[in-house]
Amino acid sequence: LLEFDLDYESYAKYDAISFESLCRDAGISSKLYDTFLKPVLLALLFVPPADLSSAAALSVLNNYVLAHQPDFDVRWPKRPPSDIFLRWKAVLEEDF
């Protein structure tokens, strides 16, 4: 995993697979994935890991989570943030 941005070919290899697939293939526990990795990526990128390339997810985790651990204080959303925007959209469409 440490090689994901070593060069263009390595980055392209990780960019071609979803982060969810990478976690499954790497044997990441479902508890770690569900309680930390998935919520943090939703909070930072507003994209579910199934729709996110491994290269993008690893970049974000490296640059925001690992590099800034003392500054990292996030409240985890219970649902995808898109749910909020879909409700607003429905209300706006209904009223206008």
Side-chain angles (χ1 to χ4, degrees), residues 19-93:
F19 185 70
E20 182 181 65
S21 296
L22 178 70
C23 289
R24 187 175 44 249
D25 295 345
I28 302 296
S29 73
S30 59
K31 184 173 183 175
L32 173 62
Y33 180 81
D34 290 335
T35 60
F36 179 72
L37 295 170
K38 186 176 180 180
V40 80
L41 291 170
L42 280 169
L44 291 172
L45 293 173
F46 301 104
V47 178
D51 298 334
L52 188 60
S53 85
S54 295
L58 291 171
S59 292
V60 165
L61 292 172
N62 183 50
N63 292 323
Y64 289 99
V65 178
L66 294 177
H68 298 282
Q69 288 181 24
D71 304 326
F72 201 74
D73 184 21
V74 175
R75 299 198 86 196
W76 310 121
K78 300 214 187 282
R79 290 188 249 159
S82 61
D83 285 357
I84 295 168
F85 297 108
L86 292 175
R87 281 188 272 153
W88 285 348
K89 179 184 174 198
V91 168
L92 288 172
E93 288 175 343

Side-chain angles (χ1 to χ4, degrees), residues 3-16 55:
E3 68 176 14
F4 81 94
D5 67 350
L6 186 61
D7 55 32
Y8 178 79
E9 290 79 23
S10 296
Y11 189 89
K13 181 179 101 176
Y14 284 94
D15 197 39

